[in-house]
Amino acid sequence: MTIFRKTLCTFAFATLAIGAIATAPQKAAATEQDTLVVGTMWEALPLAMQPRRSRFFNESEILDTLVKLDYDLNTIPGLATSWERVSPTVWHFNLRENVVFHDGTKLDAEAVKFSLERVIALLPYAADLLNIKQMSVAEPLVLEIETNEPFAALPNQLTDAITGIYAKASFNDAGEFVKPVGTGPWKFEEYRKQDRTIVTRFDGYWGEKPALSKVEYRFIPDHNSRTLALEAGEVDFIDNMLPSDVARLSRDENFKVYSKPIAGLYYGAFNAGDKSPLSDVRIRQAVNALVDRDLIVKGALDGIGEPAWDFFGPQFDWAPKADAPFKLDTGLATSLLNDAGYEQNDGKWEKDGAPLTLRILSYSSRTEMPAITEALAALLNQNGIATDVQMYTWEGMLDLVKRGEYDISVVFWTPEMTGHPDLHLKSQFHSKAGLNYQFWNNADFDEAVDTGRTLSPGAEKDETYRRAVNILHDDAPIIPLVHKVSVGASAKDVEGYRIHPSGFFYDFKSVSKD
């Protein structure tokens, strides 16, 4: 048995053992016929507005966005029925008629302007995302948005979950967020800390009304326990399942299993700053050439995922691809490491007698993360690079990453979430981006993404983003590992569920129980 397989087997056994001790099957209890009970990995926090929390408002459809994405990630009307670029920096968004918020107030351009201004004021990330200079009410149902520069990506950015439109009742007199009041098919009803969030059907919804009257999002962070809750009849639906649970439920006629590639990438972010040996581009390139992504998917994820040899997922035709995707090439890696001054002694890479050791950080709350991280480390060990793997909470890991106390942080992001290349490339890798914790700085890359967001669809835009992705590959501030395949399961009486490729949208209004 190889070191890699031993490591994976040991890890898998430990995970299952912990799950068996921490969770035990409970008495089955059928849920109410008009209610969908959902077991979730993250706690739905309806009384907080930070980006992750506010995305729940969109994925649960408490809020609507101006622009939405269809099941092919094409932009479609949301609260805006159409939009027009009237000059290089000015857009008009024509709003839907006869829409009301959950508190009965009307949606119009003034209300949308207020909401977007509040979002930008309260969520700094939104300012860079939207690039708005100012807004004005052109007509009662026409919002004019002027951007800081020509900004062709604006309609796509307005599909981002954090740009959901809030009623004024969502905020107090001081402008502070109180609770989500939107225009969506579901309205916020109740929150029980560390337990559940409940939404109920909004009968004044402008679109097709939900079949069910209530959805309960129950917080079940343990990945084994979520599946056990479904099998016990305590919940109707779960997602973010362990690969072993997917295989078991797929063989059980009492359940339906859903699987589909979605926007989402597991990757290792490299510390390209002075504190890490990965400041040397040759080491970054060598690591990329040594790790077999196919083996990670097969060995660690039971085949649930797509090996990531490119930055954007292969199923998204609009996304730029590198001219020469990464590939397994141990000969190239050897040459690069030798050029960087390393020699292999007894199979271990060393420089001046010191082993090449990489400190790998990650977090365990996301289902596949521990297995992917362990697999990455095992493959590097197998190829002579020592590793020091440390698992934290997300916040704990991020604190160390911000201080540069790491070599590789294994993380997850949704690069295709808005159906446009700008979001992830700009926010994560631009030298001035607030989320660029790789300490990576490439002026040519900055120029490409700064230009790309100004360009309308066409050959120039395609070529610009292709150049940006090629730089990302050549300078290698990351190692892409796995493109996500979303998996979920429901009781057999649940009808109408489809996985949305954005990864941030449940569409439970289309679901019923037979």
Side-chain angles (χ1 to χ4, degrees), residues 35-39 192 196-199 214-218:
T35 300
L36 186 75
V37 182
V38 180
R192 302 179 200 172
R196 71 193 64 184
T197 293
I198 299 173
V199 299
K214 184 166 66 175
V215 180
E216 291 187 12
Y217 296 90
R218 292 190 187 175

Side-chain angles (χ1 to χ4, degrees), residues 462-480:
D462 294 344
E463 170 57 26
T464 300
Y465 278 116
R466 189 182 65 81
R467 181 159 53 90
V469 170
N470 277 329
I471 295 170
L472 198 67
H473 272 242
D474 294 343
D475 216 13
I478 66 164
I479 174 172

Side-chain angles (χ1 to χ4, degrees), residues 95-108:
L95 304 179
R96 194 174 295 277
E97 296 180 351
N98 302 318
V99 175
V100 294
F101 289 100
H102 299 158
D103 64 344
T105 56
K106 292 183 178 179
L107 177 114
D108 57 18

